[in-house]
Amino acid sequence: DTEVTQTPKHLVMGMTNKKSLKCEQHMGHRAMYWYKQKAKKPPELMFVYSYEKLSINESVPSRFSPECPNSSLLNLHLHALQPEDSALYLCASSLFPLAGGYGELFFGEGSRLTVL
Amino acid sequence: DAKTTQPPSMDCAEGRAANLPCNHSTISGNEYVYWYRQIHSQGPQYIIHGLKNNETNEMASLIITEDRKSSTLILPHATLRDTAVYYCIVRASHGDYKLSFGAGTTVTVRA
């Protein structure tokens, strides 16, 4: 299995809703990532988990709450979002945390979020 | 990490080689050059990376100049499925464990 699976593929939520995005990989990867991508822009890093511990938070607002329950699963909990948070949310994984010459990320196809 | 400069867009003909340039004039000795691409409506895909030497894999070749200030990604026989945004990324071998994307080059392969 060489896939990173993200669910749901599409999500529409109101500003008062609580929802979650889910990401799963069964490649034995020990680092997982959340990126946010607005239309016609490059992906922007949000969070990095290394060995199930949060290692990088790129000053993301607290209305986004990541969780890594185990080495195969990564969640992004969403609460009180704003319309400007509408974007494609991409999950990625890597065999190890990026270090040395190792920089290969495996990406899912993303969850497209619309906040009304 | 050093900044990279890529042309915003380029066209190439199907079946011909596509040569994608990237300038990274401030690259330091411990920084690697990575290339990723993102086909429309998909997540980014790793292509290749290198430090000093030229590299080749089943997808592409990476040519890094001797002074390492620039590189070229070569798609040897471009197909319509190679139409994508191509990102050149420079990342240090030490420090934090992240990969940051720049603006990239939108490559359109035409029949």
Side-chain angles (χ1 to χ4, degrees):
Chain A
D1 187 350
T2 58
E3 283 190 344
V4 175
T5 304
Q6 291 189 243
T7 54
K9 292 198 184 316
H10 299 274
L11 177 64
V12 179
M13 61 186 290
M15 289 190 285
T16 58
N17 292 159
K18 281 186 182 181
K19 296 285 185 184
S20 297
L21 305 180
K22 179 179 171 182
C23 174
E24 208 161 357
Q25 57 85 16
H26 297 288
M27 297 180 280
H29 288 185
R30 302 311 305 272
M32 297 186 78
Y33 311 75
W34 280 115
Y35 283 81
K36 172 183 177 179
Q37 186 173 27
K38 302 280 276 184
K40 299 191 185 303
K41 296 290 187 184
E44 295 178 16
L45 183 66
M46 300 174 73
F47 303 104
V48 180
Y49 273 82
S50 300
Y51 300 101
E52 299 150 54
K53 296 277 192 294
L54 182 65
S55 59
I56 296 177
N57 176 343
E58 293 285 83
S59 303
V60 178
S62 59
R63 57 187 185 268
F64 295 92
S65 174
E67 178 196 20
C68 188
N70 59 59
S71 61
S72 300
L73 190 56
L74 185 66
N75 298 319
L76 186 62
H77 302 298
L78 314 169
H79 174 54
L81 295 193
Q82 304 296 312
E84 58 264 30
D85 296 321
S86 298
L88 181 68
Y89 288 84
L90 292 160
C91 174
S93 69
S94 60
L95 183 58
F96 302 109
L98 303 184
Y102 181 70
E104 184 174 356
L105 297 185
F106 293 76
F107 281 84
E109 295 201 342
S111 293
R112 188 163 299 281
L113 173 68
T114 303
V115 182
L116 301 177
Chain B
D1 296 336
K3 286 189 67 71
T4 61
T5 303
Q6 298 178 253
S9 64
M10 60 184 292
D11 286 359
C12 63
E14 188 179 23
R16 305 292 295 268
N19 296 293
L20 283 60
C22 180
N23 181 286
H24 30 79
S25 57
T26 61
I27 195 169
S28 60
N30 69 350
E31 290 184 313
Y32 286 77
V33 179
Y34 293 85
W35 284 84
Y36 277 74
R37 73 178 183 183
Q38 187 172 21
I39 296 169
H40 184 61
S41 298
Q42 296 184 21
Q45 176 190 24
Y46 166 84
I47 301 173
I48 199 167
H49 76 279
L51 182 63
K52 296 180 189 176
N53 301 321
N54 299 337
E55 303 286 346
T56 295
N57 63 20
E58 65 278 3
M59 287 183 69
S61 294
L62 174 60
I63 309 298
I64 302 175
T65 58
E66 194 167 341
D67 63 7
R68 302 206 327 120
K69 292 182 184 300
S70 66
S71 60
T72 301
L73 180 75
I74 301 172
L75 308 177
H77 304 286
T79 71
L80 299 179
R81 287 180 294 179
D82 292 322
T83 293
V85 179
Y86 286 77
Y87 297 102
C88 171
I89 302 165
V90 169
R91 194 184 73 82
S93 60
H94 307 298
D96 48 27
Y97 307 122
K98 60 184 183 181
L99 198 73
S100 300
F101 290 80
T105 296
T106 299
V107 174
T108 304
V109 180
R110 301 194 186 279

Short mmCIF file of all heavy atoms in Angstrom, two decimals, chain A residues 32-69:
data_model
loop_
_atom_site.label_atom_id
_atom_site.label_comp_id
_atom_site.label_asym_id
_atom_site.label_seq_id
_atom_site.Cartn_x
_atom_site.Cartn_y
_atom_site.Cartn_z
N MET A 32 4.23 12.78 9.67
CA MET A 32 3.03 13.15 8.92
C MET A 32 2.86 14.67 8.97
O MET A 32 3.29 15.32 9.92
CB MET A 32 1.81 12.42 9.47
CG MET A 32 1.92 10.90 9.30
SD MET A 32 0.45 9.98 9.76
CE MET A 32 -0.62 10.26 8.34
N TYR A 33 2.23 15.20 7.94
CA TYR A 33 2.20 16.64 7.71
C TYR A 33 0.80 17.09 7.29
O TYR A 33 0.11 16.36 6.57
CB TYR A 33 3.17 17.02 6.58
CG TYR A 33 4.55 16.44 6.71
CD1 TYR A 33 4.80 15.09 6.43
CD2 TYR A 33 5.62 17.24 7.11
CE1 TYR A 33 6.07 14.55 6.56
CE2 TYR A 33 6.90 16.70 7.24
CZ TYR A 33 7.11 15.36 6.96
OH TYR A 33 8.38 14.82 7.10
N TRP A 34 0.44 18.30 7.70
CA TRP A 34 -0.72 18.98 7.13
C TRP A 34 -0.24 20.22 6.38
O TRP A 34 0.54 21.02 6.92
CB TRP A 34 -1.71 19.41 8.21
CG TRP A 34 -2.61 18.34 8.72
CD1 TRP A 34 -2.65 17.82 9.98
CD2 TRP A 34 -3.64 17.65 8.00
NE1 TRP A 34 -3.61 16.86 10.09
CE2 TRP A 34 -4.24 16.73 8.88
CE3 TRP A 34 -4.12 17.72 6.68
CZ2 TRP A 34 -5.29 15.89 8.51
CZ3 TRP A 34 -5.15 16.89 6.30
CH2 TRP A 34 -5.73 15.98 7.21
N TYR A 35 -0.74 20.37 5.16
CA TYR A 35 -0.52 21.57 4.36
C TYR A 35 -1.88 22.17 3.99
O TYR A 35 -2.85 21.44 3.83
CB TYR A 35 0.21 21.25 3.05
CG TYR A 35 1.69 21.00 3.16
CD1 TYR A 35 2.19 19.76 3.56
CD2 TYR A 35 2.60 21.99 2.82
CE1 TYR A 35 3.55 19.54 3.63
CE2 TYR A 35 3.97 21.77 2.88
CZ TYR A 35 4.43 20.54 3.29
OH TYR A 35 5.79 20.31 3.35
N LYS A 36 -1.89 23.47 3.78
CA LYS A 36 -3.07 24.18 3.30
C LYS A 36 -2.73 24.79 1.96
O LYS A 36 -1.65 25.37 1.79
CB LYS A 36 -3.44 25.28 4.30
CG LYS A 36 -4.54 26.22 3.85
CD LYS A 36 -4.77 27.30 4.91
CE LYS A 36 -5.80 28.31 4.46
NZ LYS A 36 -6.04 29.34 5.51
N GLN A 37 -3.64 24.66 1.00
CA GLN A 37 -3.39 25.23 -0.32
C GLN A 37 -4.59 26.02 -0.80
O GLN A 37 -5.67 25.47 -1.05
CB GLN A 37 -3.04 24.13 -1.33
CG GLN A 37 -2.62 24.68 -2.68
CD GLN A 37 -2.11 23.62 -3.63
OE1 GLN A 37 -2.50 22.45 -3.54
NE2 GLN A 37 -1.22 23.99 -4.54
N LYS A 38 -4.39 27.32 -0.99
CA LYS A 38 -5.42 28.17 -1.58
C LYS A 38 -5.29 28.08 -3.10
O LYS A 38 -4.24 27.72 -3.63
CB LYS A 38 -5.24 29.61 -1.13
CG LYS A 38 -5.27 29.80 0.38
CD LYS A 38 -6.67 29.82 0.92
CE LYS A 38 -7.31 31.18 0.82
NZ LYS A 38 -8.66 31.20 1.46
N ALA A 39 -6.36 28.47 -3.77
CA ALA A 39 -6.40 28.36 -5.23
C ALA A 39 -5.23 29.11 -5.88
O ALA A 39 -4.94 30.26 -5.53
CB ALA A 39 -7.72 28.90 -5.75
N LYS A 40 -4.56 28.43 -6.80
CA LYS A 40 -3.47 29.00 -7.59
C LYS A 40 -2.26 29.43 -6.75
O LYS A 40 -1.46 30.26 -7.17
CB LYS A 40 -3.95 30.16 -8.47
CG LYS A 40 -5.02 29.75 -9.46
CD LYS A 40 -5.29 30.83 -10.48
CE LYS A 40 -6.44 30.49 -11.40
NZ LYS A 40 -6.26 29.22 -12.12
N LYS A 41 -2.15 28.88 -5.55
CA LYS A 41 -1.01 29.17 -4.68
C LYS A 41 -0.30 27.86 -4.34
O LYS A 41 -0.89 26.79 -4.45
CB LYS A 41 -1.49 29.83 -3.39
CG LYS A 41 -2.14 31.18 -3.58
CD LYS A 41 -1.13 32.22 -4.01
CE LYS A 41 -1.75 33.59 -4.05
NZ LYS A 41 -0.79 34.60 -4.54
N PRO A 42 0.95 27.93 -3.91
CA PRO A 42 1.63 26.70 -3.49
C PRO A 42 1.12 26.22 -2.14
O PRO A 42 0.55 27.01 -1.38
CB PRO A 42 3.10 27.13 -3.40
CG PRO A 42 3.04 28.59 -3.14
CD PRO A 42 1.83 29.10 -3.85
N PRO A 43 1.33 24.94 -1.83
CA PRO A 43 0.96 24.45 -0.49
C PRO A 43 1.76 25.16 0.60
O PRO A 43 2.95 25.44 0.42
CB PRO A 43 1.32 22.97 -0.56
CG PRO A 43 1.39 22.63 -2.01
CD PRO A 43 1.84 23.87 -2.69
N GLU A 44 1.09 25.43 1.70
CA GLU A 44 1.73 26.04 2.87
C GLU A 44 1.71 25.06 4.03
O GLU A 44 0.64 24.54 4.38
CB GLU A 44 0.99 27.30 3.29
CG GLU A 44 1.01 28.43 2.28
CD GLU A 44 0.19 29.62 2.77
OE1 GLU A 44 -0.12 29.68 3.98
OE2 GLU A 44 -0.15 30.47 1.93
N LEU A 45 2.86 24.85 4.63
CA LEU A 45 2.94 23.93 5.74
C LEU A 45 2.18 24.46 6.95
O LEU A 45 2.26 25.65 7.28
CB LEU A 45 4.41 23.70 6.12
CG LEU A 45 4.67 22.69 7.22
CD1 LEU A 45 4.27 21.28 6.80
CD2 LEU A 45 6.13 22.74 7.63
N MET A 46 1.45 23.55 7.61
CA MET A 46 0.74 23.92 8.83
C MET A 46 1.37 23.22 10.04
O MET A 46 1.77 23.86 11.00
CB MET A 46 -0.73 23.51 8.74
CG MET A 46 -1.49 24.15 7.60
SD MET A 46 -3.16 23.49 7.47
CE MET A 46 -3.96 24.23 8.89
N PHE A 47 1.41 21.89 9.99
CA PHE A 47 1.88 21.10 11.12
C PHE A 47 2.74 19.94 10.63
O PHE A 47 2.54 19.42 9.54
CB PHE A 47 0.70 20.50 11.90
CG PHE A 47 -0.30 21.49 12.42
CD1 PHE A 47 -1.53 21.66 11.79
CD2 PHE A 47 -0.03 22.23 13.56
CE1 PHE A 47 -2.46 22.56 12.27
CE2 PHE A 47 -0.95 23.13 14.06
CZ PHE A 47 -2.16 23.30 13.41
N VAL A 48 3.68 19.54 11.52
CA VAL A 48 4.47 18.34 11.29
C VAL A 48 4.43 17.50 12.55
O VAL A 48 4.63 18.01 13.65
CB VAL A 48 5.94 18.66 10.96
CG1 VAL A 48 6.72 17.36 10.74
CG2 VAL A 48 6.05 19.55 9.75
N TYR A 49 4.16 16.22 12.38
CA TYR A 49 4.26 15.25 13.46
C TYR A 49 5.42 14.31 13.16
O TYR A 49 5.51 13.76 12.06
CB TYR A 49 2.97 14.43 13.59
CG TYR A 49 1.93 15.07 14.46
CD1 TYR A 49 1.09 16.06 13.96
CD2 TYR A 49 1.79 14.70 15.80
CE1 TYR A 49 0.14 16.65 14.77
CE2 TYR A 49 0.84 15.29 16.61
CZ TYR A 49 0.02 16.27 16.09
OH TYR A 49 -0.92 16.87 16.89
N SER A 50 6.27 14.13 14.16
CA SER A 50 7.38 13.19 14.05
C SER A 50 7.23 12.17 15.17
O SER A 50 7.18 12.56 16.34
CB SER A 50 8.72 13.92 14.19
OG SER A 50 8.88 14.89 13.20
N TYR A 51 7.18 10.91 14.79
CA TYR A 51 7.00 9.83 15.78
C TYR A 51 5.83 10.15 16.71
O TYR A 51 5.93 10.05 17.94
CB TYR A 51 8.29 9.60 16.57
CG TYR A 51 9.44 9.19 15.68
CD1 TYR A 51 10.42 10.11 15.29
CD2 TYR A 51 9.54 7.88 15.21
CE1 TYR A 51 11.46 9.73 14.45
CE2 TYR A 51 10.59 7.50 14.37
CZ TYR A 51 11.54 8.44 14.00
OH TYR A 51 12.58 8.07 13.18
N GLU A 52 4.74 10.60 16.10
CA GLU A 52 3.46 10.86 16.78
C GLU A 52 3.50 12.05 17.72
O GLU A 52 2.54 12.26 18.47
CB GLU A 52 2.97 9.60 17.50
CG GLU A 52 2.73 8.45 16.54
CD GLU A 52 2.97 7.08 17.17
OE1 GLU A 52 2.36 6.83 18.22
OE2 GLU A 52 3.74 6.28 16.61
N LYS A 53 4.56 12.82 17.69
CA LYS A 53 4.63 14.03 18.51
C LYS A 53 4.63 15.25 17.59
O LYS A 53 5.30 15.25 16.54
CB LYS A 53 5.92 14.03 19.34
CG LYS A 53 6.01 12.91 20.35
CD LYS A 53 5.26 13.26 21.61
CE LYS A 53 5.56 12.31 22.77
NZ LYS A 53 5.07 10.96 22.54
N LEU A 54 3.92 16.28 17.98
CA LEU A 54 3.89 17.51 17.20
C LEU A 54 5.27 18.16 17.27
O LEU A 54 5.74 18.51 18.35
CB LEU A 54 2.82 18.46 17.76
CG LEU A 54 2.65 19.78 17.01
CD1 LEU A 54 2.14 19.54 15.59
CD2 LEU A 54 1.70 20.70 17.77
N SER A 55 5.92 18.31 16.14
CA SER A 55 7.27 18.88 16.12
C SER A 55 7.30 20.28 15.51
O SER A 55 8.20 21.06 15.82
CB SER A 55 8.24 17.96 15.36
OG SER A 55 7.82 17.77 14.03
N ILE A 56 6.35 20.58 14.64
CA ILE A 56 6.31 21.91 14.04
C ILE A 56 4.86 22.39 13.96
O ILE A 56 3.98 21.66 13.50
CB ILE A 56 6.92 21.92 12.61
CG1 ILE A 56 8.41 21.58 12.66
CG2 ILE A 56 6.71 23.28 11.94
CD1 ILE A 56 9.07 21.49 11.30
N ASN A 57 4.63 23.59 14.43
CA ASN A 57 3.36 24.29 14.27
C ASN A 57 3.72 25.63 13.66
O ASN A 57 4.38 26.45 14.31
CB ASN A 57 2.66 24.46 15.62
CG ASN A 57 1.37 25.27 15.52
OD1 ASN A 57 1.13 25.99 14.55
ND2 ASN A 57 0.54 25.16 16.53
N GLU A 58 3.31 25.86 12.43
CA GLU A 58 3.69 27.08 11.73
C GLU A 58 2.75 28.23 12.11
O GLU A 58 2.15 28.88 11.25
CB GLU A 58 3.67 26.86 10.21
CG GLU A 58 4.74 25.90 9.72
CD GLU A 58 6.11 26.51 9.70
OE1 GLU A 58 6.76 26.52 10.77
OE2 GLU A 58 6.55 26.97 8.64
N SER A 59 2.64 28.46 13.41
CA SER A 59 1.81 29.57 13.91
C SER A 59 0.39 29.52 13.36
O SER A 59 -0.18 30.53 12.95
CB SER A 59 2.44 30.93 13.57
OG SER A 59 3.74 31.02 14.09
N VAL A 60 -0.16 28.33 13.36
CA VAL A 60 -1.51 28.14 12.84
C VAL A 60 -2.53 28.54 13.91
O VAL A 60 -2.35 28.22 15.09
CB VAL A 60 -1.72 26.66 12.44
CG1 VAL A 60 -3.14 26.42 11.93
CG2 VAL A 60 -0.69 26.24 11.39
N PRO A 61 -3.61 29.25 13.53
CA PRO A 61 -4.63 29.63 14.52
C PRO A 61 -5.20 28.42 15.25
O PRO A 61 -5.30 27.32 14.68
CB PRO A 61 -5.70 30.32 13.66
CG PRO A 61 -5.00 30.76 12.43
CD PRO A 61 -3.91 29.76 12.19
N SER A 62 -5.60 28.64 16.49
CA SER A 62 -6.04 27.52 17.34
C SER A 62 -7.36 26.92 16.89
O SER A 62 -7.76 25.87 17.39
CB SER A 62 -6.17 28.00 18.79
OG SER A 62 -7.10 29.06 18.86
N ARG A 63 -8.05 27.54 15.94
CA ARG A 63 -9.27 26.95 15.42
C ARG A 63 -8.96 25.69 14.58
O ARG A 63 -9.85 24.92 14.25
CB ARG A 63 -10.08 27.94 14.59
CG ARG A 63 -9.36 28.58 13.43
CD ARG A 63 -10.24 29.67 12.81
NE ARG A 63 -9.65 30.25 11.61
CZ ARG A 63 -8.89 31.32 11.64
NH1 ARG A 63 -8.58 31.90 12.79
NH2 ARG A 63 -8.40 31.80 10.50
N PHE A 64 -7.68 25.49 14.29
CA PHE A 64 -7.20 24.25 13.67
C PHE A 64 -6.46 23.46 14.74
O PHE A 64 -5.47 23.96 15.30
CB PHE A 64 -6.25 24.53 12.51
CG PHE A 64 -6.87 25.24 11.35
CD1 PHE A 64 -6.85 26.62 11.28
CD2 PHE A 64 -7.47 24.53 10.32
CE1 PHE A 64 -7.43 27.28 10.20
CE2 PHE A 64 -8.05 25.17 9.24
CZ PHE A 64 -8.03 26.56 9.19
N SER A 65 -6.90 22.25 15.00
CA SER A 65 -6.29 21.46 16.06
C SER A 65 -5.88 20.10 15.50
O SER A 65 -6.72 19.28 15.19
CB SER A 65 -7.29 21.29 17.21
OG SER A 65 -6.76 20.43 18.19
N PRO A 66 -4.58 19.83 15.39
CA PRO A 66 -4.15 18.54 14.86
C PRO A 66 -4.11 17.48 15.95
O PRO A 66 -4.00 17.78 17.15
CB PRO A 66 -2.74 18.84 14.35
CG PRO A 66 -2.23 19.89 15.28
CD PRO A 66 -3.42 20.70 15.69
N GLU A 67 -4.19 16.24 15.50
CA GLU A 67 -4.11 15.12 16.43
C GLU A 67 -3.52 13.93 15.70
O GLU A 67 -3.87 13.68 14.54
CB GLU A 67 -5.52 14.76 16.93
CG GLU A 67 -5.55 13.57 17.88
CD GLU A 67 -6.94 12.99 18.04
OE1 GLU A 67 -7.81 13.22 17.17
OE2 GLU A 67 -7.15 12.26 19.03
N CYS A 68 -2.62 13.23 16.37
CA CYS A 68 -2.02 12.04 15.76
C CYS A 68 -2.23 10.86 16.73
O CYS A 68 -1.38 10.60 17.58
CB CYS A 68 -0.54 12.29 15.50
SG CYS A 68 0.27 10.99 14.54
N PRO A 69 -3.35 10.16 16.63
CA PRO A 69 -3.67 9.10 17.60
C PRO A 69 -2.71 7.90 17.54
O PRO A 69 -2.48 7.24 18.55
CB PRO A 69 -5.07 8.65 17.18
CG PRO A 69 -5.59 9.69 16.26
CD PRO A 69 -4.41 10.36 15.65
#
